[in-house]
Amino acid sequence: MLVLGFPAGPLQANCYVLARGDGQPCVIVDPGQEAGPALAEQLREHALTPAAVLLTHGHFDHVFSAGDICSEHGVPAWIHPDDSYMLADPGAALGPAGRQLFGGGPSMPAPTDVRDLADGDRLELAGITFDVVHTPGHTGGSVLFRTGTDEGGRLVLSGDTLFAGAIGRTDLPGGDHARMLHSLSTKVLALDDDTAVLPGHGPTTTIGRERVSNPFLQDLPEAAEQPPGR
């Protein structure tokens, strides 16, 4: 499997491209601000043809270029329905202070073909299987995408649910700390230690490394072992 990644935009959100190999269809994950030029270069270099856009959540630094990319290549965007409202109103997740900072909210074109993700979905895209894991907390519609390589390796695209040494913030509209703890304890820690983590920001890591070193995964509160009351 070919896995490409690069940070884009002022917030350096990671955009990923996955394909079976050069000259094949590909899936683009989280094309955020200013992702277009670097993405176009990767597509040319590896002779890749986009088949779909996958979105780990709806924050604008992860979805900003999705509309343009989907329109240019005639492909759909997949997002959890709890976050799809942000495609039309990216300022909705910023809160009053954030809206003021961006003059009411960043303006971006939304994809016209938007398809819903649900927990447990299995997507077959560009010859690659992706399992969808709903992990609310950073946003209500945050998801992980699990996949694997032909050689047996395990990968998870974690968005802003899990980083190397940290987790996503939960203080923005749609965030919920109790739900985040539940997602971490029941969904993230359930993954195998040898799973490579491709996060929404920062360097790659593994589940095993985060299990023993990430302070946010140590001694999770007992309350996180039960689904929050919602």
Side-chain angles (χ1 to χ4, degrees), residues 70-206:
C70 289
S71 176
E72 178 181 355
H73 297 283
V75 299
W78 297 78
I79 191 170
H80 193 280
D82 287 353
D83 274 18
S84 59
Y85 70 95
M86 289 184 248
L87 296 176
D89 183 12
L94 296 175
R99 279 190 182 276
Q100 185 175 11
L101 179 65
F102 285 94
S107 176
M108 66 182 195
T112 55
D113 184 356
V114 179
R115 304 185 185 183
D116 289 347
L117 297 170
D119 189 50
D121 279 354
R122 173 162 286 188
L123 306 178
E124 301 285 347
L125 301 168
I128 304 171
T129 301
F130 295 89
D131 290 313
V132 179
V133 183
H134 186 209
T135 55
H138 178 63
T139 64
S142 289
V143 300
L144 311 179
F145 295 111
R146 296 173 53 217
T147 188
T149 67
D150 292 338
E151 299 75 21
R154 299 180 177 92
L155 302 175
V156 64
L157 296 116
S158 63
D160 285 5
T161 295
L162 179 69
F163 306 130
I167 61 173
R169 62 190 295 179
T170 58
D171 59 329
L172 293 173
D176 186 312
H177 192 64
R179 297 185 85 192
M180 174 65 95
L181 294 179
H182 182 250
S183 292
L184 293 171
S185 63
T186 62
K187 302 294 184 64
V188 171
L189 290 180
L191 300 174
D192 292 318
D193 282 350
D194 63 354
T195 303
V197 178
L198 281 59
H201 298 268
T204 59
T205 184
T206 67

Side-chain angles (χ1 to χ4, degrees), residues 6 15-17 26-40 43 49-55 62-77 109-112:
F6 57 89
C15 176
Y16 297 99
V17 181
C26 69
V27 173
I28 300 163
V29 182
D30 285 2
Q33 292 174 291
E34 303 175 9
L39 176 61
L43 297 180
T49 303
V53 170
L54 297 181
L55 303 171
H62 293 259
V63 307
F64 194 89
S65 298
D68 286 337
I69 291 166
C70 289
S71 176
E72 178 181 355
H73 297 283
V75 299
T112 55

